[in-house]
PDB file of all heavy atoms in Angstrom:
ATOM      1  N   PHE A 135       9.751  70.712 -15.189  1.00 98.00           N
ATOM      2  CA  PHE A 135       9.551  71.862 -14.306  1.00 98.00           C
ATOM      3  C   PHE A 135      10.665  71.893 -13.235  1.00 98.00           C
ATOM      4  O   PHE A 135      11.261  72.934 -12.962  1.00 98.00           O
ATOM      5  CB  PHE A 135       8.179  71.765 -13.640  1.00 98.00           C
ATOM      6  CG  PHE A 135       7.808  72.926 -12.753  1.00 98.00           C
ATOM      7  CD1 PHE A 135       7.007  73.959 -13.221  1.00 98.00           C
ATOM      8  CD2 PHE A 135       8.239  72.992 -11.428  1.00 98.00           C
ATOM      9  CE1 PHE A 135       6.651  75.030 -12.399  1.00 98.00           C
ATOM     10  CE2 PHE A 135       7.903  74.050 -10.606  1.00 98.00           C
ATOM     11  CZ  PHE A 135       7.101  75.080 -11.101  1.00 98.00           C
ATOM     12  N   GLN A 165       9.854  71.296 -23.050  1.00 97.00           N
ATOM     13  CA  GLN A 165      10.247  72.710 -23.092  1.00 97.00           C
ATOM     14  C   GLN A 165       9.312  73.577 -22.254  1.00 97.00           C
ATOM     15  O   GLN A 165       9.774  74.444 -21.497  1.00 97.00           O
ATOM     16  CB  GLN A 165      10.277  73.210 -24.530  1.00 97.00           C
ATOM     17  CG  GLN A 165      10.753  74.647 -24.653  1.00 97.00           C
ATOM     18  CD  GLN A 165      10.805  75.131 -26.085  1.00 97.00           C
ATOM     19  OE1 GLN A 165      10.657  74.348 -27.008  1.00 97.00           O
ATOM     20  NE2 GLN A 165      11.025  76.420 -26.279  1.00 97.00           N
ATOM     21  N   VAL A 166       8.016  73.343 -22.381  1.00 97.00           N
ATOM     22  CA  VAL A 166       7.045  74.140 -21.625  1.00 97.00           C
ATOM     23  C   VAL A 166       7.261  73.997 -20.119  1.00 97.00           C
ATOM     24  O   VAL A 166       7.269  74.977 -19.371  1.00 97.00           O
ATOM     25  CB  VAL A 166       5.600  73.733 -22.010  1.00 97.00           C
ATOM     26  CG1 VAL A 166       4.581  74.248 -21.004  1.00 97.00           C
ATOM     27  CG2 VAL A 166       5.254  74.247 -23.406  1.00 97.00           C
ATOM     28  N   GLY A 167       7.439  72.765 -19.658  1.00 98.00           N
ATOM     29  CA  GLY A 167       7.677  72.535 -18.234  1.00 98.00           C
ATOM     30  C   GLY A 167       8.974  73.162 -17.763  1.00 98.00           C
ATOM     31  O   GLY A 167       9.044  73.745 -16.674  1.00 98.00           O
ATOM     32  N   TYR A 168      10.003  73.045 -18.603  1.00 98.00           N
ATOM     33  CA  TYR A 168      11.330  73.598 -18.277  1.00 98.00           C
ATOM     34  C   TYR A 168      11.272  75.108 -18.106  1.00 98.00           C
ATOM     35  O   TYR A 168      11.756  75.663 -17.121  1.00 98.00           O
ATOM     36  CB  TYR A 168      12.286  73.214 -19.409  1.00 98.00           C
ATOM     37  CG  TYR A 168      13.682  73.782 -19.324  1.00 98.00           C
ATOM     38  CD1 TYR A 168      14.547  73.410 -18.293  1.00 98.00           C
ATOM     39  CD2 TYR A 168      14.161  74.639 -20.320  1.00 98.00           C
ATOM     40  CE1 TYR A 168      15.844  73.898 -18.262  1.00 98.00           C
ATOM     41  CE2 TYR A 168      15.454  75.119 -20.288  1.00 98.00           C
ATOM     42  CZ  TYR A 168      16.296  74.749 -19.246  1.00 98.00           C
ATOM     43  OH  TYR A 168      17.586  75.227 -19.213  1.00 98.00           O
ATOM     44  N   VAL A 169      10.631  75.784 -19.060  1.00 98.00           N
ATOM     45  CA  VAL A 169      10.529  77.242 -18.991  1.00 98.00           C
ATOM     46  C   VAL A 169       9.694  77.680 -17.783  1.00 98.00           C
ATOM     47  O   VAL A 169      10.056  78.608 -17.067  1.00 98.00           O
ATOM     48  CB  VAL A 169       9.931  77.796 -20.301  1.00 98.00           C
ATOM     49  CG1 VAL A 169       9.620  79.281 -20.166  1.00 98.00           C
ATOM     50  CG2 VAL A 169      10.892  77.555 -21.468  1.00 98.00           C
ATOM     51  N   GLN A 170       8.580  76.990 -17.560  1.00 98.00           N
ATOM     52  CA  GLN A 170       7.727  77.354 -16.430  1.00 98.00           C
ATOM     53  C   GLN A 170       8.465  77.168 -15.108  1.00 98.00           C
ATOM     54  O   GLN A 170       8.363  78.006 -14.206  1.00 98.00           O
ATOM     55  CB  GLN A 170       6.442  76.515 -16.440  1.00 98.00           C
ATOM     56  CG  GLN A 170       5.444  76.962 -15.362  1.00 98.00           C
ATOM     57  CD  GLN A 170       4.223  76.050 -15.291  1.00 98.00           C
ATOM     58  OE1 GLN A 170       4.077  75.109 -16.085  1.00 98.00           O
ATOM     59  NE2 GLN A 170       3.350  76.315 -14.331  1.00 98.00           N
ATOM     60  N   GLY A 171       9.217  76.065 -14.981  1.00 98.00           N
ATOM     61  CA  GLY A 171       9.965  75.818 -13.757  1.00 98.00           C
ATOM     62  C   GLY A 171      11.036  76.866 -13.527  1.00 98.00           C
ATOM     63  O   GLY A 171      11.233  77.339 -12.405  1.00 98.00           O
ATOM     64  N   ALA A 172      11.713  77.253 -14.600  1.00 98.00           N
ATOM     65  CA  ALA A 172      12.753  78.282 -14.488  1.00 98.00           C
ATOM     66  C   ALA A 172      12.142  79.616 -14.073  1.00 98.00           C
ATOM     67  O   ALA A 172      12.666  80.323 -13.197  1.00 98.00           O
ATOM     68  CB  ALA A 172      13.504  78.418 -15.801  1.00 98.00           C
ATOM     69  N   GLN A 173      11.016  79.958 -14.683  1.00 98.00           N
ATOM     70  CA  GLN A 173      10.350  81.228 -14.358  1.00 98.00           C
ATOM     71  C   GLN A 173       9.710  81.210 -12.976  1.00 98.00           C
ATOM     72  O   GLN A 173       9.474  82.273 -12.395  1.00 98.00           O
ATOM     73  CB  GLN A 173       9.297  81.545 -15.432  1.00 98.00           C
ATOM     74  CG  GLN A 173       9.904  81.886 -16.776  1.00 98.00           C
ATOM     75  CD  GLN A 173       8.872  82.134 -17.855  1.00 98.00           C
ATOM     76  OE1 GLN A 173       7.752  81.619 -17.795  1.00 98.00           O
ATOM     77  NE2 GLN A 173       9.248  82.905 -18.880  1.00 98.00           N
ATOM     78  N   PHE A 174       9.456  80.036 -12.457  1.00 98.00           N
ATOM     79  CA  PHE A 174       8.944  79.914 -11.096  1.00 98.00           C
ATOM     80  C   PHE A 174       9.974  80.413 -10.091  1.00 98.00           C
ATOM     81  O   PHE A 174       9.645  80.938  -9.026  1.00 98.00           O
ATOM     82  CB  PHE A 174       8.604  78.442 -10.812  1.00 98.00           C
ATOM     83  CG  PHE A 174       8.012  78.173  -9.458  1.00 98.00           C
ATOM     84  CD1 PHE A 174       6.694  78.473  -9.178  1.00 98.00           C
ATOM     85  CD2 PHE A 174       8.791  77.594  -8.449  1.00 98.00           C
ATOM     86  CE1 PHE A 174       6.148  78.225  -7.924  1.00 98.00           C
ATOM     87  CE2 PHE A 174       8.253  77.334  -7.196  1.00 98.00           C
ATOM     88  CZ  PHE A 174       6.922  77.652  -6.936  1.00 98.00           C
ATOM     89  N   VAL A 175      11.256  80.248 -10.462  1.00 98.00           N
ATOM     90  CA  VAL A 175      12.348  80.688  -9.589  1.00 98.00           C
ATOM     91  C   VAL A 175      12.668  82.164  -9.799  1.00 98.00           C
ATOM     92  O   VAL A 175      12.837  82.927  -8.859  1.00 98.00           O
ATOM     93  CB  VAL A 175      13.608  79.825  -9.837  1.00 98.00           C
ATOM     94  CG1 VAL A 175      14.817  80.370  -9.069  1.00 98.00           C
ATOM     95  CG2 VAL A 175      13.338  78.378  -9.434  1.00 98.00           C
ATOM     96  N   PHE A 181      15.769  82.918 -22.665  1.00 98.00           N
ATOM     97  CA  PHE A 181      15.724  81.539 -23.119  1.00 98.00           C
ATOM     98  C   PHE A 181      16.123  81.463 -24.590  1.00 98.00           C
ATOM     99  O   PHE A 181      15.681  82.268 -25.405  1.00 98.00           O
ATOM    100  CB  PHE A 181      14.310  80.960 -22.957  1.00 98.00           C
ATOM    101  CG  PHE A 181      13.858  80.836 -21.528  1.00 98.00           C
ATOM    102  CD1 PHE A 181      13.158  81.868 -20.919  1.00 98.00           C
ATOM    103  CD2 PHE A 181      14.129  79.692 -20.797  1.00 98.00           C
ATOM    104  CE1 PHE A 181      12.742  81.779 -19.601  1.00 98.00           C
ATOM    105  CE2 PHE A 181      13.713  79.586 -19.474  1.00 98.00           C
ATOM    106  CZ  PHE A 181      13.021  80.631 -18.882  1.00 98.00           C
ATOM    107  N   ILE A 321       0.726  73.140  -7.208  1.00 97.00           N
ATOM    108  CA  ILE A 321       1.356  73.742  -8.389  1.00 97.00           C
ATOM    109  C   ILE A 321       0.869  72.963  -9.601  1.00 97.00           C
ATOM    110  O   ILE A 321       0.967  71.734  -9.645  1.00 97.00           O
ATOM    111  CB  ILE A 321       2.894  73.676  -8.329  1.00 97.00           C
ATOM    112  CG1 ILE A 321       3.431  74.531  -7.187  1.00 97.00           C
ATOM    113  CG2 ILE A 321       3.504  74.137  -9.646  1.00 97.00           C
ATOM    114  CD1 ILE A 321       4.950  74.424  -7.008  1.00 97.00           C
ATOM    115  N   THR A 322       0.303  73.674 -10.569  1.00 96.00           N
ATOM    116  CA  THR A 322      -0.147  73.042 -11.819  1.00 96.00           C
ATOM    117  C   THR A 322       0.863  73.348 -12.911  1.00 96.00           C
ATOM    118  O   THR A 322       1.150  74.511 -13.203  1.00 96.00           O
ATOM    119  CB  THR A 322      -1.527  73.571 -12.239  1.00 96.00           C
ATOM    120  OG1 THR A 322      -2.459  73.294 -11.190  1.00 96.00           O
ATOM    121  CG2 THR A 322      -1.986  72.891 -13.519  1.00 96.00           C
ATOM    122  N   VAL A 323       1.417  72.298 -13.499  1.00 97.00           N
ATOM    123  CA  VAL A 323       2.410  72.475 -14.554  1.00 97.00           C
ATOM    124  C   VAL A 323       1.710  72.518 -15.906  1.00 97.00           C
ATOM    125  O   VAL A 323       0.862  71.674 -16.211  1.00 97.00           O
ATOM    126  CB  VAL A 323       3.461  71.344 -14.525  1.00 97.00           C
ATOM    127  CG1 VAL A 323       4.530  71.589 -15.592  1.00 97.00           C
ATOM    128  CG2 VAL A 323       4.097  71.231 -13.142  1.00 97.00           C
ATOM    129  N   ASP A 324       2.058  73.515 -16.698  1.00 95.00           N
ATOM    130  CA  ASP A 324       1.438  73.679 -18.012  1.00 95.00           C
ATOM    131  C   ASP A 324       1.772  72.500 -18.932  1.00 95.00           C
ATOM    132  O   ASP A 324       2.804  71.829 -18.779  1.00 95.00           O
ATOM    133  CB  ASP A 324       1.934  74.980 -18.690  1.00 95.00           C
ATOM    134  CG  ASP A 324       1.485  76.217 -17.923  1.00 95.00           C
ATOM    135  OD1 ASP A 324       0.492  76.140 -17.178  1.00 95.00           O
ATOM    136  OD2 ASP A 324       2.144  77.264 -18.081  1.00 95.00           O
ATOM    137  N   ASP A 325       0.868  72.264 -19.886  1.00 95.00           N
ATOM    138  CA  ASP A 325       1.073  71.197 -20.865  1.00 95.00           C
ATOM    139  C   ASP A 325       0.955  71.799 -22.271  1.00 95.00           C
ATOM    140  O   ASP A 325       0.754  72.998 -22.429  1.00 95.00           O
ATOM    141  CB  ASP A 325       0.038  70.079 -20.658  1.00 95.00           C
ATOM    142  CG  ASP A 325       0.493  68.746 -21.194  1.00 95.00           C
ATOM    143  OD1 ASP A 325       1.421  68.715 -22.035  1.00 95.00           O
ATOM    144  OD2 ASP A 325      -0.080  67.716 -20.798  1.00 95.00           O
TER     145      ASP A 325
END
Side-chain angles (χ1 to χ4, degrees):
F135 183 98
Q165 183 179 350
V166 165
Y168 176 65
V169 171
Q170 186 185 356
Q173 291 177 334
F174 182 76
V175 173
F181 295 91
I321 295 176
T322 301
V323 183
D324 295 337
D325 204 342

